[in-house]
Amino acid sequence: MTRSKKFSVSAYSKNIAERISEPVSVTYYLSRQLTNLYPQVSDVKDYLESFASISDNITVKIVSPETQQLQSRLADYGINGQPIRTNSISSTVVTNVYSSIVIDYLGMTEIIPFVLDSATLEFSLAQKIESLIEERKNLIQIVVANDLDLENGYSYVVPYLKSLGYVPFQTELPSVASDPTKSFDNYINVPLVVLGSEKFTKTDCRIFEKFILDGGRAFLASQPYSIDINNDWSFRQSEAQQYFERMLFTFGIYCKNSLTCDVSNLRITMTSTQDTSNNSASEKNEFINYSLWPVLRPHVNLPDGMTTFWPVAFDIDNEVSEIESFETLPSLMTSQASWQMEKIDGKFFTNPFTCPKSAEDFEIKGPFTVSAEVRNLLTHDLRMVYLGDQYALSTPMISYSSGSSIDLRAFEYMGNYILELCGQNDLLALKNKSKFNYSLYKISDSQIVEAARKAVLLSLVLPEVIILLCGIMFVYSRRKFIR
């Protein structure tokens, strides 16, 4: 009954089921304790049964992994129990629980390590079963072009891409490739994720540009400057990053020479153990609204919003991008109360205690574009996405924005576009099937009056119609009873 048929098996999944020639076994390992703690896991069981009903070749089995033998078998799959803390009057107990799905097909296995609800369950099932029956792996390459690394600096990137069904592997910039075969441009048909730009040389920029012009696809996350995120958050820009900035001109992207501030931002906690005279004192916490970390509000390309870190804003000139048959479109924007921080004596002051909390009257207000999509002008196929923030996906910064759970909203943004870059729009629709459209721009200003008129008419007429229908039914039922 929902508009997106949220709880129904989609036509895409049914099409996959029709291609299954041998039995597919789906085993849901669910701990009994979790059923009481998280009642929504019953939705997972119900949906698995609905999914199995679309084909005689799909069977579902629910297993409670209480024995050590079953838990060892799950460990062989790479599935470990998740610690859940339960409190009682007399004690606190930490229990390892399971809510994992194992899919078997012709001796091959795919897993969903942990699932608590059915929001993205169909996406995961469809993607993994399709991968099994087609015996196909989707490759994706990653280039880290700043001082961070995949193991620690971007530790969530590889696991997230794997959860989307991709097989990530790391490639290198041509200028530093230890082996020519490790250069990203050798894999023109494999989508590319680029993180940072500090190590780009002039030659690297030219090769990346050719990569896109020759049909390559990329998700590019970077500012044309760097921040010392481990120390004093100071700003720096290398000559290589200036080459990178000029390379973006080809796609009609012109980065501003300023930092983006916004009144919609992340509130951070600063802890001090010194007084104003730098003498030892008791620990003191101060809560600061840090305007250089804008929090983007939910809208059509970002249903849940996300936190950004010193993002670069840019202008778009499609007269330039059209020269190479591209069209560049804004994708993410800051709020209308955002503004640009200019340099003072050649420096940006990123100290949270001195950072302005709002714009001055003379400063130009937003919104400002901080991410854009580059499409083929004729076919409208997505060729590149540029996110002006290399830190939104980094592990150290995610720890700042995360609360009781890890904040992966920036990864959701990247993941959605990677699916589209790979031409998997049907899977993308499944992934966002349960998302609500929070767009604030559904109607233009010229349509507001007409929309308001319709809303008023409905609010006045609809109740009267309901009352009239109830009256007719009452009279009809009375007459029938008298007869």
Side-chain angles (χ1 to χ4, degrees), residues 133-412:
I133 64 176
E134 293 187 358
E135 298 186 40
R136 170 177 53 84
K137 295 295 184 182
N138 297 311
L139 299 177
I140 190 163
Q141 54 176 325
I142 306 169
V143 167
V144 180
N146 56 20
D147 289 337
L148 303 179
D149 56 37
L150 274 183
E151 291 72 24
N152 300 300
Y154 291 105
S155 60
Y156 294 114
V157 171
V158 169
Y160 182 80
L161 292 174
K162 286 182 177 179
S163 74
L164 290 181
Y166 292 96
V167 178
F169 65 99
Q170 189 168 3
T171 51
E172 300 172 341
L173 294 173
S175 62
V176 297
S178 55
D179 186 314
T181 60
K182 293 185 178 180
S183 179
F184 71 82
D185 58 308
N186 283 305
Y187 306 94
I188 188 69
N189 295 319
V190 178
L192 170 65
V193 175
V194 177
L195 304 169
S197 61
E198 193 170 346
K199 295 182 180 179
F200 268 83
T201 65
K202 188 174 183 179
T203 300
D204 293 330
C205 291
R206 189 179 69 252
I207 292 174
F208 176 81
E209 180 184 293
K210 187 175 185 299
F211 177 84
I212 300 297
L213 296 176
D214 288 348
R217 296 150 292 160
F219 183 92
L220 182 58
S222 184
Q223 296 102 314
Y225 52 78
S226 298
I227 303 290
D228 186 358
I229 62 175
N230 294 317
N231 295 296
D232 59 355
W233 296 353
S234 58
F235 166 97
R236 68 181 186 274
Q237 184 176 43
S238 66
E239 185 178 8
Q241 288 167 313
Q242 294 175 17
Y243 294 136
F244 170 83
E245 185 177 357
R246 295 189 197 109
M247 179 270 294
L248 293 175
F249 295 170
T250 301
F251 308 102
I253 296 173
Y254 290 79
C255 296
K256 296 181 179 294
N257 294 317
S258 53
L259 297 182
T260 305
C261 301
D262 202 332
V263 296
S264 172
N265 55 59
L266 185 68
R267 194 180 195 194
I268 61 177
T269 303
M270 304 296 289
T271 303
S272 174
T273 56
Q274 295 178 333
D275 58 22
T276 54
S277 301
N278 290 328
N279 298 317
S280 296
S282 59
E283 186 175 286
K284 179 183 178 181
N285 291 331
E286 185 169 347
F287 302 98
I288 301 173
N289 291 322
Y290 191 33
S291 59
L292 284 170
W293 288 359
V295 174
L296 306 184
R297 299 299 179 90
H299 57 79
V300 65
N301 289 321
L302 197 67
D304 298 319
M306 81 177 197
T307 302
T308 55
F309 303 92
W310 307 284
V312 62
F314 51 87
D315 297 315
I316 295 174
D317 188 345
N318 272 313
E319 290 187 2
V320 175
S321 61
E322 286 174 4
I323 296 174
E324 298 293 349
S325 298
F326 290 127
E327 180 184 25
T328 302
L329 304 170
S331 177
L332 292 182
M333 304 188 77
T334 57
S335 76
Q336 294 182 347
S338 58
W339 73 98
Q340 296 297 308
M341 175 192 288
E342 303 292 339
K343 291 180 181 178
I344 299 177
D345 297 329
K347 296 180 180 180
F348 288 117
F349 291 91
T350 57
N351 188 321
F353 294 100
T354 59
C355 188
K357 302 297 185 292
S358 60
E360 300 290 344
D361 292 337
F362 61 88
E363 291 178 313
I364 300 174
K365 309 297 190 302
F368 299 102
T369 303
V370 293
S371 183
E373 51 188 47
V374 179
R375 296 184 178 273
N376 183 286
L377 189 59
L378 301 177
T379 64
H380 300 291
D381 291 337
L382 185 64
R383 297 290 295 279
M384 187 181 84
V385 177
Y386 175 58
L387 171 63
D389 183 357
Q390 62 189 312
Y391 302 111
L393 301 167
S394 70
T395 305
M397 305 317 298
I398 288 172
S399 64
Y400 278 101
S401 61
S402 298
S404 57
S405 59
I406 299 174
D407 184 357
L408 295 178
R409 292 177 296 173
F411 290 85
E412 290 293 306

Side-chain angles (χ1 to χ4, degrees), residues 475-483:
V475 172
Y476 175 77
S477 61
R478 290 283 295 172
R479 287 182 178 179
K480 188 174 180 180
F481 177 76
I482 293 173
R483 288 177 183 175

Side-chain angles (χ1 to χ4, degrees), residues 6-120:
K6 178 178 176 180
F7 301 102
S8 303
V9 179
S10 68
Y12 184 80
S13 295
K14 292 176 181 177
N15 178 266
I16 293 174
E18 291 175 357
R19 290 183 275 144
I20 298 175
S21 58
E22 299 293 336
V24 172
S25 173
V26 179
T27 306
Y28 181 28
Y29 292 93
L30 175 63
S31 298
R32 290 193 183 95
Q33 304 96 314
L34 204 59
T35 305
N36 297 325
L37 294 171
Y38 292 90
Q40 59 265 42
V41 295
S42 61
D43 292 341
V44 177
K45 293 192 292 184
D46 293 342
Y47 195 87
L48 287 176
E49 291 170 357
S50 297
F51 194 87
S53 68
I54 65 177
S55 173
D56 293 336
N57 282 322
I58 302 177
T59 59
V60 170
K61 183 168 58 174
I62 314 295
V63 176
S64 179
E66 307 298 334
T67 67
Q68 188 64 42
Q69 182 180 2
L70 281 177
Q71 293 177 13
S72 297
R73 185 188 303 174
L74 290 175
D76 292 338
Y77 288 127
I79 299 173
N80 297 307
Q82 300 293 316
I84 297 290
R85 186 187 302 273
T86 56
N87 297 315
S88 64
I89 297 176
S90 58
S91 64
T92 298
V93 179
V94 177
T95 308
N96 281 339
V97 296
Y98 295 85
S99 181
S100 311
I101 297 173
V102 177
I103 306 168
D104 292 304
Y105 178 76
L106 295 178
M108 298 177 290
T109 301
E110 289 280 1
I111 65 170
I112 302 175
F114 197 69
V115 57
L116 283 180
D117 57 54
S118 60
T120 60

